[in-house]
Amino acid sequence: MRVAGTLRLQPGRDRSLQRRHPWVFSGAVDRVDGDPAPGANVLVRAHDGTELGWAAYSPESQIWARMWTFDPTERPDAALVAGRVAAAAGRRDALLGSGDTDSARLVFSEADGVPGLVADRYGDTVVCQLTTAGAEAWSEVLADALAALPGVRCVHERSDADVRSREGLAPRTGTLRGPAPSPDLVAHERGFRFVVDAEGGHKTGFYLDQRDSRRAVEYWAADRRVLNVFSYTGAFSVIAAARGAHSVLSIDSSGPALEAARRSGALNSVDVGDLMEADTFTALRGLRDRARQFDLVLLDPPKLAANDRQVDKASRAYKDLNLLALKLLAPGGALMTWSCSGAVSADLFQKIVAGAAVDAGRTARIVDRLHQPGDHPVPLAFPEAEYLKGLVLEVE
C-alpha cells in the first residue's frame, strides 16, 4: 500500500505514542499533509517533525489513526499484516493444544497489533470481524492469512457490529474462504459442547471471553437453585445442570438463543432446565413480586455503555439489575455479576454493586474476581483492551 500522507500532531500530543499507546484522536492532530483515503498508511510525526511510526488513517472516526508500528522504518505492507496474524495465532497454540478446548480468540485487534481485526476460532472454522478502516483496507490479506493457519477450513466474516458505522463502513457478512460454516458448529471446552451460531449469533457466535467464568460456575453450581439472567445460548445453564444444580431457570429476550440453549443441553445429555423468553427487567421484577428465591444468580448483561457519555445511564441500569438479583438471593446465596462495558471501570462497577447491596439491605463479600482470559490479552500500554470484569459475592 502506498504512503498516502503525513499526520502531524499538536504540540505535546505525542506523549501517549511515546508510551506506545496505539490511538491518535482527532483533537491531537494539527494537520494532515497529502490526501490519504480511509484505511491508508500515514506517517505520524510529532509537532517538531520527529517520526513516530505508521498508522491506519480513519477520518470518519474520533480515532483518526491507529498505529501499525512505532518503528518509522517499518512500513506496513502485506507481509507485516499477515505476519501479525500468524504470530497472534501462534501465541494461542498452547491453549488450543492443551486438550481443554478447540476454540479461542486468535487475534484481538490492537492487543495483537492488528487494529480492527477480531478473529475467533471454533475447531476448523474462523469467524472474524473487521471494525476499522485500516482492517478494511487489508481485508483480502487478512482473509488469506486466517485461511492459511493450520487446520482452518472456513473463514467467515461477521462485520455487522455497530462500531463499523463510526468508521464510515457499511455492515458486511459472508463466507470469505472455504465452505460456509456448518450449522452444527460447536465449541468444545473441558468436555462440554456448546452451540455456535456463526452466521446469526452475537459477536462471532459464542462468548469465548467467559471461558474462565464458565469454570467458576462449575465450582459454584452444585446443589443450588440457579437463575441465569441474560442467558443467551445457555452455556452457564448447561454447566450448572451438568454439575448438579438443584434447578436452573434461564432468562433471555431471544427465542432463538433459548432454543440454542436447549440444543446445547441435548449435546451434553443434560436437562438445561426452565427457559423463559422475556424482557429481563420485567422478568426479574415478576420473580421478586412472587417471592422467588435462588441460591446462585448469574447476571451477565450485554454491553450497557458503548462510550463515556453512556456511563451514567449504564450505571443506573447495572445498579437496578444487581439490586433485583440481590433481592432474589436466599440467605447464604452467591451472586456472580459481570460488566463487559469497557467504559465502566472495575472500580466503578464494584461501587455500583456495593450501592445495590446497601439498597437491598444485604451484606455481601467479594470472594473472587473474574476477568477475560489470556487469549484476550491486555497490553500494558493499552489498558482499554481490558473490558470484562466480574465479581463473585457471598451474600448473607
Side-chain angles (χ1 to χ4, degrees), residues 187-226:
H188 295 80
E189 188 175 289
R190 295 192 311 280
F192 292 102
R193 292 185 291 169
F194 301 113
V195 169
V196 178
D197 184 358
E199 297 193 79
H202 296 177
K203 292 190 173 181
T204 65
F206 189 64
Y207 286 99
L208 291 174
D209 55 3
Q210 286 287 32
R211 183 184 305 109
D212 292 349
S213 295
R214 287 189 285 273
R215 187 187 294 272
V217 171
E218 289 190 63
Y219 174 83
W220 285 96
D223 299 319
R224 293 179 184 260
R225 296 165 293 176
V226 177

Side-chain angles (χ1 to χ4, degrees), residues 299-350:
L299 187 59
D300 185 21
K303 182 189 292 187
L304 299 179
N307 52 56
D308 292 342
R309 296 188 301 277
Q310 298 176 0
V311 167
D312 287 345
K313 181 179 179 181
S315 297
R316 292 191 293 271
Y318 281 123
K319 184 174 182 181
D320 288 346
L321 286 168
N322 281 278
L323 175 60
L324 289 165
L326 287 160
K327 288 185 174 182
L328 292 170
L329 272 175
L335 171 63
M336 301 176 70
T337 180
W338 293 267
S339 166
C340 64
S341 299
V344 176
S345 69
D347 181 61
L348 175 58
F349 183 60
Q350 180 173 325

Side-chain angles (χ1 to χ4, degrees), residues 11 73 79 94 118 169 173 198 209 216 227 233 242 265 273 283 293 332 340 346 353 360 366 378-379:
T73 68
V118 167
L169 302 173
T173 64
D209 55 3
L227 173 62
T233 53
Q293 287 197 320
C340 64
V353 177
I366 299 172
V378 182

Side-chain angles (χ1 to χ4, degrees), residues 196-272:
V196 178
D197 184 358
E199 297 193 79
H202 296 177
K203 292 190 173 181
T204 65
F206 189 64
Y207 286 99
L208 291 174
D209 55 3
Q210 286 287 32
R211 183 184 305 109
D212 292 349
S213 295
R214 287 189 285 273
R215 187 187 294 272
V217 171
E218 289 190 63
Y219 174 83
W220 285 96
D223 299 319
R224 293 179 184 260
R225 296 165 293 176
V226 177
L227 173 62
N228 184 8
V229 186
F230 300 102
S231 60
Y232 187 44
T233 53
F236 289 157
S237 300
V238 169
I239 291 169
R243 293 297 180 256
H246 184 271
S247 63
V248 182
L249 171 59
S250 304
I251 303 174
D252 200 271
S253 62
S254 168
L258 293 173
E259 179 56 33
R262 196 181 302 279
R263 288 171 54 205
S264 285
L267 284 172
N268 293 278
S269 300
V270 299
D271 180 354
V272 78

